[in-house]
Amino acid sequence: MKAITIPAPQQMTVVDLPKPEAKAGEVLLKLEYVGFCGSDLNTFLGRNAMAKENVIPGHEIGAVIETVGEGCPETLKPGMVVTVNPYTNCGQCAACRNGRVNACQHNETLGVQRDGAMREYIALPWQKIIPVKGISTRDSALIEPMSVGFHAVDRGQVTDIDTVLVFGCGMVGLGAVVRAVQRGAVVIAVDLSEEKLAIAKELGAKYGINSAEENVVEKVMEYTDGYGADCVVEAVGAPVTYVTAINAVSFTGRVVCIGYSKNPVEFETKYFVQKELDIRGSRNANPSDFRAVMRYLEKTEVPMERFISGIATPETAIDIMKEWAAAPAQVFRILVKF
């Protein structure tokens, strides 16, 4: 079977591997679409310290069940469309002990700490298989990144009396926009791309701020009568957006961090105290977030192709990855079709 590997920075190859089999307790999936995410881009650029050497990338999955191994539930049947929960949890660390398995200290995400799904077939434990109804395999590959944004809104405890500021309108950020709108919040989207801001507004954001042309803090204060945003979701991971998030959040507000900066960030820490802020990390997603995204996709009338910047073959994946690296602000999601 074909598989994509990243053997070294700026390199990507297609290799031939043996087709796996579904062992007891496993399900063999035939991959149809797999998405490239920001972690894959950083691995390709040599900036992802967590990625194993010569890794097979990919954890955003739209697949069909090929075969089901012994000991799996009878509800899992060949031919079913599925996506995958790509995270592991040890069951023993502090996060697992506290029931927050998405933040497991020893998590190994597909395509990062262990080989991922950029291949024709993959065998996985049945517990990680998520059946999907009424959603194509293409759109199923968008479920995981949107679920990360959904989880961030949950971490921010967003309600209908909140104004939510979302930095970054890629797939994760758009997931946060959608979930905040669902909860009745007023949403302000921030991005460098007018196209992404337009889609955020289509999804329910009331305001859009182009941070390349406008002063974000000034506009937020204008839109909130000088109070600032009740909750800020940082889905970029850049020093400037981290600092702006602290400046734009209201007194006693919440800042939820999804992205993490590869460079040190200098804060005016007095705002942490003066504003009595809640600063929260948000990692991965929970099964409930996956279910919420699937319900949204089942009902939405938004054409999901708007979210897909390109579809590559395994052989052309390196070309489209280079294009993404050259213009990251212009890309929503890149899918590889197997």
Side-chain angles (χ1 to χ4, degrees), residues 232 234 237-249 255 257 259-261 263-273 277 279:
V232 179
E234 202 290 332
V240 64
T241 49
Y242 260 86
V243 172
T244 307
I246 299 301
N247 293 336
V249 72
V255 178
C257 305
Y260 57 90
S261 174
N263 299 307
V265 182
E266 293 186 5
F267 288 111
E268 290 282 354
T269 55
K270 66 179 181 181
Y271 293 135
F272 294 11
V273 178
L277 298 180
I279 301 174

Side-chain angles (χ1 to χ4, degrees), residues 6-326:
I6 301 176
Q10 308 286 341
Q11 294 182 26
M12 187 175 288
T13 60
V14 179
V15 298
D16 186 53
L17 298 176
K19 179 181 176 180
E21 297 181 355
K23 300 176 183 177
E26 291 184 340
V27 176
L28 179 65
L29 302 183
K30 183 180 186 300
L31 282 305
E32 293 197 356
Y33 291 91
V34 182
F36 277 123
C37 79
S39 64
D40 298 318
L41 177 61
N42 283 324
T43 300
F44 177 73
L45 295 174
R47 300 173 183 171
N48 190 350
M50 294 185 294
K52 69 185 288 284
E53 291 184 4
N54 200 27
V55 69
I56 298 174
H59 58 257
E60 302 173 358
I61 294 169
V64 174
I65 293 179
E66 179 85 354
T67 58
V68 179
E70 294 182 2
C72 296
E74 294 182 359
T75 52
L76 297 175
K77 301 180 183 298
M80 292 179 67
V81 175
V82 299
T83 190
V84 169
N85 183 329
Y87 324 120
T88 64
N89 61 282
C90 69
Q92 299 180 4
C93 71
C96 291
R97 186 176 61 183
N98 291 331
R100 291 164 65 176
V101 296
N102 60 291
C104 174
Q105 181 178 351
H106 306 292
N107 166 67
E108 293 186 350
T109 299
L110 283 173
V112 185
Q113 295 94 342
R114 58 193 174 120
D115 283 333
M118 285 286 176
R119 47 179 136 174
E120 293 183 276
Y121 296 91
I122 189 171
L124 295 168
W126 70 261
Q127 294 91 338
K128 297 299 179 181
I129 308 303
I130 303 174
V132 177
K133 295 182 180 179
I135 304 171
S136 67
T137 51
R138 185 199 69 179
D139 293 352
S140 294
L142 304 176
I143 292 173
E144 191 275 342
M146 289 191 74
S147 72
V148 175
F150 272 46
H151 182 66
V153 170
D154 192 54
R155 288 283 293 145
Q157 296 177 299
V158 171
T159 72
D160 58 355
I161 64 171
D162 288 325
T163 295
V164 178
L165 178 64
V166 179
F167 281 96
C169 295
M171 281 306 303
V172 172
L174 289 179
V177 168
V178 167
R179 194 55 164 164
V181 169
Q182 285 184 326
R183 294 194 174 188
V186 173
V187 177
I188 305 170
V190 180
D191 203 279
L192 297 168
S193 165
E194 287 294 337
E195 180 186 3
K196 291 183 179 181
L197 290 173
I199 292 181
K201 289 183 178 180
E202 285 184 34
L203 297 176
K206 186 173 182 179
Y207 305 105
I209 301 174
N210 188 321
S211 55
E213 301 175 358
E214 300 175 286
N215 184 298
V216 174
V217 175
E218 288 181 0
K219 297 301 291 186
V220 170
M221 294 305 167
E222 175 187 333
Y223 296 147
T224 60
D225 296 326
Y227 288 104
D230 302 288
C231 179
V232 179
V233 176
E234 202 290 332
V236 176
V240 64
T241 49
Y242 260 86
V243 172
T244 307
I246 299 301
N247 293 336
V249 72
S250 67
F251 275 64
T252 68
R254 291 97 66 198
V255 178
V256 181
C257 305
I258 308 175
Y260 57 90
S261 174
K262 311 303 183 295
N263 299 307
V265 182
E266 293 186 5
F267 288 111
E268 290 282 354
T269 55
K270 66 179 181 181
Y271 293 135
F272 294 11
V273 178
Q274 288 178 349
K275 292 186 175 183
E276 198 174 51
L277 298 180
D278 287 335
I279 301 174
R280 305 173 181 180
S282 182
R283 185 181 182 191
N284 301 332
N286 286 317
S288 59
D289 302 307
F290 280 84
R291 292 196 301 271
V293 172
M294 288 190 290
R295 178 166 294 184
Y296 170 74
L297 292 180
E298 288 172 9
K299 296 181 177 181
T300 185
E301 296 181 358
V302 175
M304 298 307 291
E305 58 267 18
R306 293 285 304 275
F307 299 156
I308 300 169
S309 301
I311 298 178
T313 65
E315 290 77 14
T316 63
I318 187 169
D319 298 321
I320 204 166
M321 185 65 88
K322 288 180 178 178
E323 292 174 7
W324 186 14

